[in-house]
Amino acid sequence: MKINHNNTIFGELTKNSYGCFDLDNTFAAFKSINDYLLLIYSTKTRSLICYDILNYKIIIEIKNSHNTFITNIRHFIDMKNNRDLIISISDRDNNLKLWNVNNWECILEIPHANNTGYLCSACLLNDNNNIFIITSNCNMQGETENIKVYDLEGKIKKEINDSNEKIYFIDSLYDKKTNKIYLLTGNKDYIKSYDYYKNELYHKYFEYFEMTSGIHISIQINEINDILFLVESCSFGFVRIWNFHSAELINKIKVYDDWIFGICLWDKDYAFVA
């Protein structure tokens, strides 16, 4: 990641971060609760680094933060406790850690969150002011394992029924109109949404005439005029926009002939893809 200031690039900060043939540099950039602009990234030596973007300095480097390479970093806000949280994942040993950005304390570690395959993604979910961690699965060799819901003590609260597929991306959604929580998963061939409280499948998002549409690896929700749209990308270079509640395909855009790993929605009108 390069930082641009007054149209001048002054540093390629993540040049030493971990990356491989199917994974770009791992980082998260965000504005913190305390109004700091922060960049969190991992290095090839398994360090976790917090960088102050406006003051051009490293705030902290946590060396050997994982036993293997960090492959996923995500930022979440805990409004109840007024703090920023970071999830970091090393998928080779299925290890997950939750960090408090305010003091860089590791709040929770879940070793071997998956028994099969790789832990590709995880997210936070706020349910009645209680935070839970949702972990994806990536089942291999015919084995099955469901999505798991952990509390902040690392105990499994429940599993989501019939979610035992290869999942490459997972996120949660609170629909304020219906007062419901949904889980969103990017799988091979399609997107799925689950009703969190009913513990069952809500919708499957796929094109009937094109069963094989690539691996779906990024999902964002965009609300326009009280309508929820699901924006997602796949390994065949498409961005698709769906009506979240009806599962109707609204638009399909060919962007590349290759994987689209990330989507960033800006000002509700624009989407950046990479």
Side-chain angles (χ1 to χ4, degrees), residues 13 15 23 50 54 92 102 123 154 172 219 225 231-232 243 247 254:
L13 298 175
K15 63 182 180 181
L23 180 72
C50 177
L54 292 184
R92 297 301 168 179
N102 293 12
C123 68
S172 64
I219 305 170
N225 298 327
V231 185
E232 53 97 356
N243 183 303
K254 180 70 171 182

Side-chain angles (χ1 to χ4, degrees), residues 19-20 26 36 38 58 71 97 112 132 142 162 237 241 253 255:
C20 60
T26 305
Y36 290 104
L38 301 179
I58 292 176
T71 52
K97 290 187 177 182
H112 308 297
F132 298 94
D162 298 322
I241 303 172
I253 306 164
V255 182

Side-chain angles (χ1 to χ4, degrees), residues 93-96 110-115 119 145 148 150:
D93 59 358
N94 289 331
N95 184 264
L96 179 149
I110 304 177
H112 308 297
N114 279 356
N115 296 314
L119 177 63
E145 188 169 5
K148 297 186 183 72
Y150 290 89

Side-chain angles (χ1 to χ4, degrees), residues 140-158:
M140 304 179 72
Q141 300 176 344
E143 299 180 5
T144 60
E145 188 169 5
N146 284 322
I147 293 170
K148 297 186 183 72
V149 180
Y150 290 89
D151 62 22
L152 288 190
E153 294 181 352
K155 298 177 182 178
I156 297 176
K157 179 186 177 185
K158 69 174 183 178

